[in-house]
Amino acid sequence: MVHNEGILPNQVTFTGVLSACSYSGFVQKGRQLFNEMVHMHNIRPSAEHHTCMVDMLARAGLLEEAEAFLMHLPFEPDNVMWGTMLGACKKYGEFVVAKRVAKRLLVVEPENSSAYVLLANLFAGGCEWVEAVGIREAMQEKGARKELARSWVQIRDTVHSFVAGDMYHHQTEEIIEVLQRLRLQMAGEIIGFDSIPS
């Protein structure tokens, strides 16, 4: 953009390129772009830019560097940043950093069930059963509950909400019938479906 078109990047541009660096694993390039954003383009990093940097470092397994980055932010890190770190700790089996991160996340959001669940699963995955049980007990003591996954479908002007195993919708029987037909069609078991020429 700058070299070929003479177009100056803005905050949105840097959010996009930093996110791309994160997903592509281009840590060095991401660091360089973050520094250019601040020092060459005089753009003050937003929370989104900082989150991209934390995500990039954490995805690359640079957990201590990501944690240090969070500790030196000019503002308090939010639950998204700490949650990103905790997820990366689980991915890399990093217990020590995970404990510190979980404590900080639970200060920001004491009833965040996903923090407890992630941490408990991390310890269980490493056969640290006493720690895993302790985390689950702490979750119950704090009254944190794991929210069920929910799906929404809008049909005309009405929004329908569903949770896993939901049998309370007034059209449950019709929904199940349509889903069964779709499953059969996908499996090629509807009469005549397999006779359609390719």
Side-chain angles (χ1 to χ4, degrees):
M1 284 174 64
V2 175
H3 298 299
N4 296 333
E5 303 295 329
I7 301 170
L8 293 177
N10 59 20
Q11 282 195 330
V12 175
T13 310
F14 278 104
T15 300
V17 294
L18 289 173
S19 181
C21 287
S22 176
Y23 282 97
S24 303
F26 297 148
V27 176
Q28 201 55 38
K29 187 66 175 174
R31 286 187 186 119
Q32 176 191 337
L33 288 167
F34 186 83
N35 286 329
E36 287 179 11
M37 177 181 74
V38 175
H39 302 294
M40 286 177 59
H41 298 285
N42 296 318
I43 295 174
R44 185 176 177 184
S46 67
E48 288 83 11
H49 298 127
H50 287 105
T51 301
C52 287
M53 290 299 291
V54 171
D55 186 52
M56 180 183 67
L57 295 168
R59 280 176 185 270
L62 302 170
L63 299 172
E64 292 191 358
E65 185 178 343
E67 184 183 20
F69 185 87
L70 278 172
M71 299 303 293
H72 290 93
L73 289 179
F75 54 87
E76 281 298 312
D78 62 13
N79 61 323
V80 174
M81 293 178 180
W82 289 121
T84 298
M85 279 290 299
L86 192 56
C89 287
K90 182 177 185 297
K91 176 182 176 183
Y92 289 103
E94 178 54 67
F95 299 104
V96 177
V97 177
K99 284 183 186 179
R100 293 193 302 259
V101 168
K103 283 181 185 175
R104 294 186 182 280
L105 177 56
L106 293 172
V107 166
V108 176
E109 271 193 323
E111 294 178 7
N112 182 331
S113 62
S114 60
Y116 289 104
V117 172
L118 254 172
L119 194 58
N121 290 345
L122 173 68
F123 286 119
C127 296
E128 301 279 343
W129 304 113
V130 174
E131 292 274 9
V133 169
I135 296 296
R136 293 283 183 174
E137 288 172 353
M139 180 178 170
Q140 289 176 346
E141 286 172 18
K142 294 283 185 184
R145 293 181 165 195
K146 187 174 181 185
E147 294 292 323
L148 293 174
R150 183 172 294 276
S151 298
W152 290 272
V153 177
Q154 182 172 349
I155 302 172
R156 295 181 193 89
D157 295 331
T158 306
V159 176
H160 302 271
S161 176
F162 304 91
V163 294
D166 189 356
M167 300 300 284
Y168 298 106
H169 192 275
H170 68 279
Q171 290 181 293
T172 297
E173 289 181 19
E174 293 97 321
I175 292 168
I176 290 172
E177 184 181 327
V178 168
L179 289 172
Q180 286 175 339
R181 278 189 288 165
L182 286 171
R183 185 177 55 82
L184 290 172
Q185 186 175 5
M186 289 170 62
E189 296 176 10
I190 290 183
I191 298 171
F193 182 76
D194 55 358
S195 62
I196 296 173
S198 54

